[in-house]
Amino acid sequence: MTSQDERVAFTLRPTALGLLVERTQRQPMGTRLIQVMVFADQEVFDRWCEVEPLRFGDALLYSKLRREGHAALAPTQ
């Protein structure tokens, strides 16, 4: 999943430990910031989503991120 301006991208993968989320942010100077997190359950994922700056910058991508995250976590609960 990628933002419209292609500055932020997310990759979600279900794992045995929970949901792995990779967040890649392109910086103005051409560098990239990559963060990798694993969420054990939907409650922790939702708390992270509540502070994700993308919710203000790209509401459609944010909604898709939450929807797909919830779907990926559903079988592990």
Side-chain angles (χ1 to χ4, degrees):
M1 294 179 284
T2 305
S3 64
Q4 289 182 338
D5 62 6
E6 298 183 353
R7 289 189 181 183
V8 180
F10 293 94
T11 303
L12 281 68
R13 289 185 217 121
T15 70
L17 299 174
L19 176 64
L20 182 137
V21 176
E22 181 178 300
R23 183 186 193 279
T24 304
Q25 182 171 357
R26 287 183 28 207
Q27 303 293 319
M29 300 295 283
T31 59
R32 292 179 187 204
L33 171 65
I34 300 173
Q35 299 169 302
V36 179
M37 301 146 286
V38 176
F39 300 100
D41 57 45
Q42 186 172 325
E43 180 182 341
V44 176
F45 175 70
D46 285 342
R47 280 196 308 242
W48 174 77
C49 285
E50 289 173 7
V51 296
E52 169 56 47
L54 181 69
R55 67 187 175 162
F56 300 112
D58 192 333
L60 291 175
L61 180 59
Y62 176 74
S63 294
K64 185 175 182 181
L65 172 67
R66 285 184 54 104
R67 233 182 3 263
E68 290 192 17
H70 287 175
L73 283 165
T76 63
Q77 293 182 357

